[in-house]
Amino acid sequence: MTTRIWTGLAVAGLSLAIGAAGGHWFARRPMTAMPAASAEAESAPQDERKVLYWYDPMYPQQKFDKPGKSPFMDMELVPQYAGGAADSATISIDPSLTQNLGLRLASVSRGPLANSLDVVGVLAFNEREVAVVQARAAGFVERVYARAPGDVLQAGAPLVDLLIPDWAAAQEEFLALKQSGDAGLLAAARQRLRLLGMPAALIHQVERSGKAQAVLTLGSPIGGVVQELDVRTGMTVAEGATLARVNGLGSVWLSLAVPEAEAGAIAQGQAVEARLPAFPGEVLAGTVDAILPETNPDSRTLRVRVELPNPDSRLRPGMTAQVSLNRSTSQSVLWLPSEAVIRTGRRALVMVAEDGGRYRPVEVRLGPESAGKTVVTQGLTEGQQVVASGQFLLDSEASLKGLTAAEIETPTTEAPVSLHEAEGQVMSIDNAGVTLAHGPFKTLGMPGMTMTFPLADPALMVGIKAGDKVRVGVRQTDAGLLVERLEKLGGQP
């Protein structure tokens, strides 16, 4: 392996080390000195410049205090020279080399960000569209129609015929009273039939035909899929026994598994677009119907339910769908291309391009990412230029030069003002403040007395009136004691 190192007279150079399996290197090209470098530095011989340390370009993190052979590779250590003040926080590159290095810039922009989350969903029955067929009275199964679980039925399709002996006797009694002509007794008998569970249509048929109808045909209350049919011809059924269960297909549920990290961005009523492999090219629109309260502990996902209309009953439970949760907002946000971000694991960096071919590492705080764009919440301003391609070469050079991006300071809550507290009673309230008969302020060394205090905020007196027992907190200022906190004893401030 041959290593070539060309060293120019420029103040700042860029080390292009490609650590491939064979360990081949790009040759170091001479860099043009930036205007900020002093004339003395340009004319000074290289050996007169101050050497900060020596390093092996294959292991730049290891620094040595004297030249010699690298303990890692069969090559001489490379000196790292001290640069000018202009190079203390930036990397300088001759603009003529920018294209050769493949550097590409992008602008930090501001505007609305169309944000969507793509997840996979599975169709399921709408559990709100369920009809249960039960026996209203004890009887015998005379006939079971040719139905089976999974059959799709229309509303009213017959399921089973029941013979109910108790209804036959009650109907005969009703017909006898009808012949008597007593309207009161007839109304009472008709009400008795209703209380026995007889449908109104059957009562009307008996009254019109004048014959008892002991056999009742039970049909499907709704159109849909037969889920259960637990009845056979000749069976004896008890009152209230479940004979069949039918699930409607007018609408279906689309069950989604949303990552836990995205749960905060999902809201009820949010627009949804679903694409099913069974219907290529079609987009089904829906909305988030419910966000279930439990998270799957294994996959760390949240279940989200979407209701889709199904007027032609072609959507069947079990089908899969690719779902886009639209989170577009009209709010203007600051964003940059996602490819410009260097993620170190501990923080995120970008290389900001400055005038004269200078590049500076900057730490940023990031927000949501969508369609190749990432929201920036802190660290950059609109209009700045960042390196979108080749930034890892610059980051490597920054590491060689010992440059690090300044960390973003996390805002800290100011320490609360030290208050002196005492208990007392409100004597009066006026524009000047509040007059208190208070006990001693022990931390002030002040005995109990009656005096008037100015208020830091008139809102402190909301809900407090003369005569109330209070706990007062005051702060000592140049103008005297100022009431910062006032709360009624036994209640909230």
Side-chain angles (χ1 to χ4, degrees):
M1 179 180 66
T2 303
T3 303
R4 301 179 61 192
I5 302 178
W6 296 351
T7 306
L9 299 180
V11 174
L14 176 66
S15 302
L16 300 180
I18 308 299
H24 294 285
W25 294 80
F26 279 128
R28 287 190 79 174
R29 297 284 304 275
M31 305 297 175
T32 303
M34 304 310 299
S38 63
E40 291 80 7
E42 292 183 353
S43 61
Q46 176 182 329
D47 57 0
E48 292 184 3
R49 289 183 293 168
K50 180 181 179 181
V51 177
L52 298 177
Y53 55 86
W54 283 263
Y55 67 96
D56 183 340
M58 289 293 289
Y59 295 88
Q61 65 273 18
Q62 182 67 46
K63 301 177 182 179
F64 301 90
D65 56 1
K66 58 183 179 180
K69 281 280 190 180
S70 168
F72 310 109
M73 304 291 293
D74 185 19
M75 61 180 293
E76 295 292 329
L77 296 175
V78 177
Q80 176 64 50
Y81 298 99
D87 289 333
S88 59
T90 60
I91 305 167
S92 301
I93 303 178
D94 189 332
S96 63
L97 297 179
T98 301
Q99 185 174 358
N100 295 338
L101 298 176
L103 298 184
R104 179 168 49 85
L105 303 183
S107 297
V108 179
S109 305
R110 181 176 294 277
L113 183 67
N115 192 6
S116 65
L117 174 65
D118 294 331
V119 295
V120 176
V122 180
L123 295 180
F125 284 110
N126 185 343
E127 295 295 335
R128 297 192 184 101
E129 295 187 17
V130 176
V132 177
V133 181
Q134 292 183 320
R136 295 191 175 188
F140 307 96
V141 178
E142 288 286 301
R143 177 186 178 185
V144 177
Y145 291 82
R147 313 295 185 200
D151 288 350
V152 179
L153 305 179
Q154 299 294 326
L159 295 173
V160 61
D161 289 345
L162 289 182
L163 171 63
I164 306 176
D166 291 345
W167 284 8
Q171 291 173 7
E172 292 291 351
E173 181 181 346
F174 171 75
L175 293 175
L177 290 174
K178 180 182 179 183
Q179 295 178 357
S180 69
D182 191 327
L185 291 177
L186 183 62
R190 187 182 291 109
Q191 180 64 20
R192 180 169 178 265
L193 294 181
R194 294 194 188 97
L195 295 177
L196 287 174
M198 196 175 299
L202 183 59
I203 297 174
H204 180 68
Q205 182 181 356
V206 171
E207 190 172 1
R208 185 181 56 184
S209 65
K211 296 181 180 180
Q213 304 288 335
V215 177
L216 173 67
T217 299
L218 297 178
S220 175
I222 62 173
V225 180
V226 178
Q227 293 285 79
E228 299 175 9
L229 187 62
D230 298 330
V231 62
R232 296 291 181 271
T233 301
M235 288 178 55
T236 301
V237 295
E239 181 180 354
T242 297
L243 306 179
R245 183 173 180 268
V246 181
N247 212 128
L249 287 174
S251 63
V252 293
W253 281 348
L254 181 58
S255 183
L256 311 179
V258 177
E260 182 182 17
E262 302 288 347
I266 307 301
Q268 194 167 2
Q270 188 171 336
V272 169
E273 293 181 350
R275 295 170 175 82
L276 278 72
F279 311 108
E282 291 191 37
V283 179
L284 305 180
T287 57
V288 174
D289 178 64
I291 302 173
L292 303 190
E294 293 184 350
T295 301
N296 188 318
D298 298 325
S299 60
R300 306 311 305 170
T301 55
L302 189 70
R303 285 187 59 199
V304 175
R305 180 189 298 157
V306 175
E307 188 168 333
L308 295 177
N310 188 26
D312 50 5
S313 300
R314 62 175 182 166
L315 300 181
R316 302 299 175 90
M319 289 181 172
T320 59
Q322 187 69 31
V323 182
S324 296
L325 293 164
N326 299 321
R327 298 181 292 178
S328 299
T329 175
S330 59
Q331 182 182 3
S332 181
V333 295
L334 198 66
W335 58 267
L336 80 169
S338 301
E339 60 182 344
V341 181
I342 303 172
R343 303 179 187 271
T344 67
R346 186 176 63 89
R347 56 181 182 164
L349 306 174
V350 296
M351 300 301 296
V352 175
E354 299 180 347
D355 294 338
R358 297 186 184 279
Y359 302 89
R360 176 168 51 90
V362 174
E363 181 182 4
V364 292
R365 296 279 172 82
L366 304 178
E369 180 180 359
S370 176
K373 301 176 182 178
T374 300
V375 174
V376 180
T377 60
Q378 198 172 355
L380 297 175
T381 58
E382 183 180 1
Q384 284 186 295
Q385 295 285 310
V386 296
V387 180
S389 177
Q391 67 270 32
F392 291 98
L393 294 176
L394 299 179
D395 184 54
S396 299
E397 178 67 9
S399 299
L400 293 176
K401 295 184 66 175
L403 301 183
T404 58
E407 294 188 3
I408 296 178
E409 296 183 0
T410 303
T412 56
T413 304
E414 294 183 359
V417 178
S418 178
L419 297 182
H420 308 280
E421 294 188 342
E423 294 182 2
Q425 183 177 6
V426 177
M427 305 304 294
S428 63
I429 305 171
D430 53 29
N431 294 333
V434 56
T435 301
L436 300 172
H438 62 82
F441 288 95
K442 296 182 180 180
T443 54
L444 274 174
M446 178 180 176
M449 63 180 69
T450 300
M451 64 179 294
T452 300
F453 295 90
L455 297 170
D457 186 352
L460 294 172
M461 295 305 303
V462 175
I464 297 178
K465 60 183 181 303
D468 286 345
K469 300 284 188 181
V470 296
R471 178 180 291 105
V472 60
V474 299
R475 176 169 58 88
Q476 197 165 17
T477 67
D478 295 338
L481 296 177
L482 182 68
V483 174
E484 292 276 2
R485 186 169 67 231
L486 193 64
E487 56 186 24
K488 188 186 300 185
L489 291 177
Q492 297 296 323

